[in-house]
């Protein structure tokens, strides 16, 4: 793949696995060069990640001036998405412009609308008339059905199916392989566990746990009559 010319400088907030992945994606697919990581000083445990310096978020503007750096906050769904929301506000208050990443390997229909500071992984299908708010993460392989709206600070994990005309309330987490029927409104601060199937509207602050499959009373090798 030909490399993209680097015309912008990016700071990533966080030093977790998501921060490491975000660095990869921004560097391979976009015009951003990742020049630093910033972590709140209470969590500053190392000085570099992948050859790039990690500094305290409290003094990041001393190392990387606001006027020529942009920021992406690579934090997942900690505190039901409130940590990412707080850190985004903090870097905005400092005056930084926020960056977004939309994978060139995602299918995004031409009239889909995005707010600021979003991250869309590969293999998402985002259909016509979808509206996505600010600070939304779409991990890989989701289906976002036509005319649906995802409000601010949501985290949609992987292989989630959101049908048409749905509304996903702010800060809601949708677990892997969860399914939302068409015309359903999910409230704010919901946790929709992995594999959950939601067919009616939910109020705010509702938790749907993901279920563990039933353990059979026979072992694998006995069931398939394989010699041990
Ligand atoms: C909701 C979910 C997190 C629950 O996980 P779980 O391991 O089945 O939860 P448990 O029932 O063991 O309970 C977890 C904790 O909540 C506590 N808890 C359970 N019921 C509770 C209740 N009614 N009130 C208060 N606390 C409760 C448990 O005591 C436990 O506490 P501990 O960790 O201190 O021991 C899980 O089902 C889920 O949806 N995971 C998402 C997976 C996913 O999609 N990942 C994608 C990442 S990209």
């Amino acid at each position: 793949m030909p490399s993209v010319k680097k015309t912008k400088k990016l700071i990533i907030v966080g030093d977790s696995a998501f921060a490491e992945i975000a660095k990869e994606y921004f560097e391979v697919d976009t015009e951003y060069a990742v020049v630093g990581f910033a972590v709140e000083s209470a969590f500053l445990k190392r000085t570099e990640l992948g050859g790039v310096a990690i500094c305290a978020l409290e003094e990041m503007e001393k190392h990387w001036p606001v006027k020529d750096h942009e920021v992406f906050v690579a934090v997942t769904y900690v505190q039901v998405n409130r940590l990412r929301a707080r850190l985004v506000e903090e870097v905005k208050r400092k005056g930084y412009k926020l960056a977004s990443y939309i994978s060139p390997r995602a299918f995004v229909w031409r009239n889909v609308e995005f707010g600021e500071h979003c991250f869309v992984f590969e293999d998402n299908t985002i259909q016509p008339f979808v509206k996505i708010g600010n600070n939304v993460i779409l991990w890989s392989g989701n289906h976002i059905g036509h005319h649906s709206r995802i409000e601010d600070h949501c985290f949609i994990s992987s292989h989630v199916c959101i049908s048409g005309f749905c509304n996903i309330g702010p800060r809601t987490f949708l677990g892997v392989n969860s399914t939302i029927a068409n015309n359903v409104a999910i409230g704010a601060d919901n946790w929709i566990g992995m594999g959950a199937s939601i067919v009616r509207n939910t109020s705010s602050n509702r938790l749907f746990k993901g279920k563990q499959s039933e353990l059979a009373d026979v072992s694998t090798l006995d069931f398939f009559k394989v010699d041990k």
Side-chain angles (χ1 to χ4, degrees):
M1 190 188 302
S3 64
V4 184
K5 192 162 180 264
K6 301 296 171 194
T7 55
K8 296 176 175 178
K9 289 187 254 183
L10 184 72
I11 313 302
I12 292 178
V13 172
D15 68 346
S16 65
F18 184 20
E20 201 176 11
I21 294 166
K23 174 177 178 288
E24 273 295 303
Y25 283 22
F26 274 110
E27 287 195 336
V28 171
D29 286 338
T30 76
E31 68 278 30
Y32 290 100
V34 177
V35 298
F37 293 97
V39 173
E40 285 184 303
S41 52
F43 298 91
L44 193 56
K45 302 277 186 274
R46 51 183 170 167
T47 55
E48 63 94 28
L49 175 61
V52 172
I54 308 176
C55 293
L57 184 130
E58 290 83 346
E59 53 186 41
M60 63 189 282
E61 56 275 48
K62 284 191 205 150
H63 303 281
W64 305 299
V66 164
K67 65 172 177 25
D68 51 11
H69 292 83
E70 295 183 34
V71 175
F72 180 76
V73 178
V75 168
T76 58
Y77 43 84
V78 183
Q79 297 162 9
V80 194
N81 294 308
R82 278 175 158 69
L83 175 59
R84 195 176 69 258
R86 175 172 72 72
L87 292 173
V88 164
E89 277 317 303
E90 207 154 315
V91 294
K92 269 177 87 168
R93 241 191 336 267
K94 287 176 185 284
Y96 283 107
K97 197 174 159 205
L98 300 172
S100 280
Y101 169 86
I102 315 284
S103 172
R105 289 164 287 279
F107 174 86
V108 181
W109 191 252
R110 62 178 183 164
N111 59 9
V112 171
E113 292 175 25
F114 287 99
E116 63 181 9
H117 194 264
C118 290
F119 200 102
V120 176
F121 280 73
E122 63 278 4
D123 299 330
N124 276 278
T125 294
I126 312 181
Q127 291 194 322
F129 306 106
V130 165
K131 289 190 169 69
I132 293 178
N134 300 314
N135 191 28
V136 170
I137 311 295
L138 298 179
W139 214 269
S140 51
N142 304 294
H143 169 93
I144 315 296
H146 61 93
H147 296 94
S148 284
R149 180 184 172 86
I150 300 179
E151 296 197 49
D152 297 349
H153 316 302
C154 284
F155 186 101
I156 316 296
S157 39
S158 290
H159 295 269
V160 171
C161 183
I162 299 175
S163 309
F165 292 108
C166 290
N167 196 91
I168 311 298
R171 294 174 302 278
T172 279
F173 168 91
L174 299 191
V176 289
N177 261 321
S178 57
T179 301
I180 315 294
N182 50 306
N183 297 299
V184 165
I186 304 291
D189 299 301
N190 273 218
W191 182 281
I192 310 294
M194 57 190 172
S197 180
I198 307 291
V199 298
R200 306 226 191 293
N201 294 354
T202 70
S203 52
S204 62
N205 197 13
R206 301 286 91 189
L207 169 70
F208 297 84
K209 280 188 165 188
K211 276 213 179 95
Q212 165 85 357
S213 287
E214 191 189 336
L215 177 63
D217 56 6
V218 57
S219 71
T220 312
L221 297 183
D222 286 345
F223 185 79
F224 289 101
K225 299 180 177 56
V226 176
D227 290 339
K228 288 177 203 159

